[in-house]
């Protein structure tokens, strides 16, 4: 049975293949500190239909059920809209997904990852749509969660950088952050991200610059890909009628040289996926040279090079990394109108450190209680016997 745009059923013989109605898909969530895990969920959801609508919860709802969000609702709405698989954003979506919401937006079903989302009183927020058979599941992205990213910031470790000798340090910190005293939830716990060529292919557009397109090159860390980056890339995208934006991402060690501390918070592989998910970016250079060289400009046939209002740190030899594009007269500095930086996000989190750690422990405890209740209901041992 197919549902029409008004939610009514249409008989199998009433519509031919040529008249097939678009399948509308619903996703919802907090989308706080949007990362490539969120983007991957939305990519999978979009592949299940033709039109993806994403409902985003308010600050008030998140604070009630989960704890304080890192980003404001306006920032979160804009971040989700920037993900290339999203067709429409619904602000102030209810925390509990109901059939009423699906019908209101003419959605056939909703999609969520294979983790669990619980209300303040420990109930599954998708219970109603699951029972009605209007729920689909997609695979959760291993190795990333908001919990993990917050942990990296708070613990000031470089364990997440791409480097073999740091693996044991990573395990040590991953095992300790925001851990509920009763054990580890399979959803809120920390695991390591492993990049694959398949994941890059899934995220990449696969399109090369076409005749008549303006090739614009931007470079940076694009760490903890956030609204400041989105505002900048949106402005860059507006510079041409038919833009083809290439983002060059610096190696972890290079970012650490000019940013210091434990930056980048996300390693190169993670940053690659975050930037590829943005609708304003056509291509990513994975491990771009810090200096924008003549070779790079010729290789990509770059028409314009852009940088934001952040400080341009000299190269290791003291030279200006944008010397060559400036010499060619193709360098442009962009004011995105946003003052949000990765540093400011980290400061927000450190300021609320205790609240976030308490939030993670509370969330994990709720998930463990739900797991135990489910196992008891199914007659399985709870794992508490030892």
């Amino acid at each position: 049975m197919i549902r029409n745009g008004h939610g009514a059923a249409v008989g199998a013989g009433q519509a031919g293949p040529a008249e097939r109605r678009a399948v509308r898909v619903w996703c919802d969530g907090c989308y706080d500190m949007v990362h490539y895990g969120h983007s991957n969920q939305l990519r999978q959801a979009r592949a299940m239909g033709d039109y993806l609508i994403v409902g985003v919860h308010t600050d008030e709802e998140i604070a009630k059920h989960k704890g304080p969000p890192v980003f404001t609702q306006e920032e979160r709405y804009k971040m989700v809209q920037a993900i290339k698989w999203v067709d429409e954003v619904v602000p102030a979506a209810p925390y509990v997904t109901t059939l009423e919401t699906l019908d209101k937006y003419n959605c056939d079903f909703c999609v969520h990852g294979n983790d669990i989302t619980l209300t303040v009183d420990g109930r599954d927020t998708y219970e109603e749509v699951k029972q009605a058979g209007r729920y689909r599941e997609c695979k959760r992205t291993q190795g990333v969660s908001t919990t993990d990213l917050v942990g990296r910031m708070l613990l000031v470790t470089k364990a997440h950088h791409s480097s073999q000798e740091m693996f044991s340090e990573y395990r040590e910190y991953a095992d300790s952050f925001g851990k509920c005293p009763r054990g580890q939830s399979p959803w809120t716990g920390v695991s390591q991200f492993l990049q694959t060529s398949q994941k890059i292919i899934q995220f990449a557009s696969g399109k090369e610059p076409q005749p008549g397109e303006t090739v614009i090159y931007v470079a940076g860390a694009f760490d903890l890909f956030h609204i400041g980056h989105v505002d900048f890339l949106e402005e860059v995208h507006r510079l041409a009628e038919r833009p083809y934006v290439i983002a060059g991402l610096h190696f972890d060690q290079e970012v650490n040289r000019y940013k210091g501390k434990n930056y980048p918070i996300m390693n190169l592989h993670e940053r690659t996926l975050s930037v590829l998910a943005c609708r304003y970016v056509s291509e990513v250079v994975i491990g771009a040279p810090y200096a924008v060289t003549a070779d790079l400009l010729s290789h990509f046939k770059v028409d314009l090079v852009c940088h934001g209002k952040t400080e341009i740190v000299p190269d290791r030899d003291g030279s200006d990394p944008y010397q060559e594009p400036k010499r060619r007269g193709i360098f442009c500095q962009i004011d995105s109108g946003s003052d949000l930086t990765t540093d400011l996000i980290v400061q927000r989190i450190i300021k609320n450190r205790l609240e976030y750690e308490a939030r993670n422990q509370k969330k994990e405890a709720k998930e463990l209680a739900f797991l135990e209740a489910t196992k008891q209901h199914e007659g399985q041992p709870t794992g508490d016997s030892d």
Side-chain angles (χ1 to χ4, degrees):
M1 191 72 81
I2 300 169
R3 295 165 53 79
N4 70 16
H6 303 289
V10 178
Q14 289 177 250
E19 302 167 55
R20 187 183 77 83
R21 187 186 60 80
V23 173
R24 291 165 68 88
V25 181
W26 173 270
C27 280
D28 55 29
C30 305
Y31 299 102
D32 192 23
M33 281 184 64
V34 169
H35 50 67
Y36 58 91
H38 294 119
S39 303
N40 194 36
Q41 181 227 350
L42 296 173
R43 178 191 67 77
Q44 292 177 79
R46 180 64 172 75
M48 293 182 194
D50 306 295
Y51 191 85
L52 177 62
I53 303 176
V54 183
V56 183
H57 310 318
T58 61
D59 296 345
E60 189 184 353
E61 279 277 88
I62 297 169
K64 177 185 165 189
H65 292 279
K66 203 172 177 181
V70 178
F71 288 95
T72 67
Q73 56 203 41
E74 295 305 322
E75 289 169 333
R76 292 182 290 106
Y77 300 154
K78 191 162 189 180
M79 276 303 290
V80 173
Q81 189 61 70
I83 295 171
K84 62 185 177 185
W85 298 287
V86 175
D87 295 298
E88 189 182 325
V89 170
V90 172
Y95 200 82
V96 176
T97 312
T98 62
L99 293 172
E100 186 187 349
T101 301
L102 295 190
D103 290 340
K104 182 180 177 182
Y105 295 99
N106 298 321
C107 289
D108 297 76
F109 53 84
C110 82
V111 177
H112 187 67
N114 54 349
D115 55 344
I116 194 81
T117 307
L118 303 172
T119 61
V120 68
D121 53 3
R123 280 180 37 246
D124 180 356
T125 58
Y126 293 97
E127 198 177 327
E128 186 180 316
V129 290
K130 281 178 179 176
Q131 286 173 356
R134 289 172 69 184
Y135 177 85
R136 305 280 185 280
E137 211 161 70
C138 62
K139 278 176 72 177
R140 186 173 180 272
T141 308
Q142 287 299 310
V144 67
S145 66
T146 305
T147 307
D148 180 19
L149 295 175
V150 169
R152 295 183 197 184
M153 293 175 229
L154 296 180
L155 292 160
V156 198
T157 171
K158 292 185 193 177
H160 49 279
H161 292 176
S162 308
S163 150
Q164 191 58 45
E165 69 271 15
M166 289 176 175
F167 186 74
S168 59
E169 188 191 342
Y170 184 95
R171 287 268 33 110
E172 194 178 316
Y173 110 82
D175 288 344
S176 66
F177 175 66
K179 181 76 81 70
C180 167
R182 296 173 59 210
Q184 188 176 11
S185 160
W187 303 304
T188 298
V190 176
S191 61
Q192 198 203 20
F193 169 68
L194 299 170
Q195 181 70 286
T196 62
S197 56
Q198 183 59 29
K199 187 61 68 222
I200 293 173
I201 289 165
Q202 288 168 343
F203 272 58
S205 70
K207 293 174 186 162
E208 294 194 347
Q210 300 302 306
E213 288 185 330
T214 303
V215 177
I216 308 174
Y217 182 76
V218 298
F222 292 98
D223 192 18
L224 282 181
F225 194 73
H226 55 70
I227 199 73
H229 297 131
V230 168
D231 286 339
F232 167 67
L233 290 167
E234 189 177 8
E235 285 302 314
V236 167
H237 197 265
R238 283 186 182 142
L239 292 174
E241 202 174 315
R242 293 178 59 208
Y244 185 94
V245 179
I246 302 174
L249 302 191
H250 301 141
F251 283 110
D252 295 345
Q253 287 73 18
E254 191 66 69
V255 176
N256 191 250
R257 176 187 73 82
Y258 64 80
K259 289 278 289 179
K261 298 179 190 169
N262 62 330
Y263 291 111
I265 302 297
M266 293 179 117
N267 68 44
L268 178 59
H269 300 309
E270 298 174 303
R271 293 183 282 123
T272 297
L273 294 184
S274 297
V275 177
L276 279 174
C278 179
R279 65 172 69 248
Y280 307 117
V281 174
S282 304
E283 181 62 291
V284 166
V285 180
I286 305 168
Y290 187 65
V292 182
T293 61
D295 280 352
L296 186 146
L297 296 174
S298 303
H299 180 87
F300 293 109
K301 298 181 174 58
V302 175
D303 298 303
L304 191 62
V305 175
C306 296
H307 184 78
K309 290 293 182 185
T310 54
E311 181 195 2
I312 298 172
V313 178
D315 206 347
R316 290 169 194 270
D317 61 1
S319 63
D320 180 352
Y322 291 103
Q323 194 172 291
E324 182 61 25
K326 284 177 180 175
R327 190 188 66 75
R328 296 187 186 196
I330 60 168
F331 179 77
C332 176
Q333 206 152 14
I334 299 290
D335 185 356
S336 68
S338 171
D339 59 359
L340 188 66
T341 63
T342 304
D343 278 326
L344 286 173
I345 294 166
V346 173
Q347 281 169 32
R348 279 189 198 185
I349 284 163
I350 288 170
K351 189 173 151 224
N352 297 302
R353 171 181 187 142
L354 293 174
E355 271 190 281
Y356 289 121
E357 288 189 338
R359 175 179 103 169
N360 292 330
Q361 289 192 5
K362 192 171 118 190
K363 182 171 178 274
E364 195 160 17
K366 242 180 3 179
E367 289 167 353
L368 283 165
F370 183 86
L371 264 180
E372 282 174 25
T374 306
K375 282 178 181 174
Q376 281 175 349
H377 180 71
E378 292 169 356
Q380 293 177 18
T382 62
D384 287 342
S385 53
D386 53 23

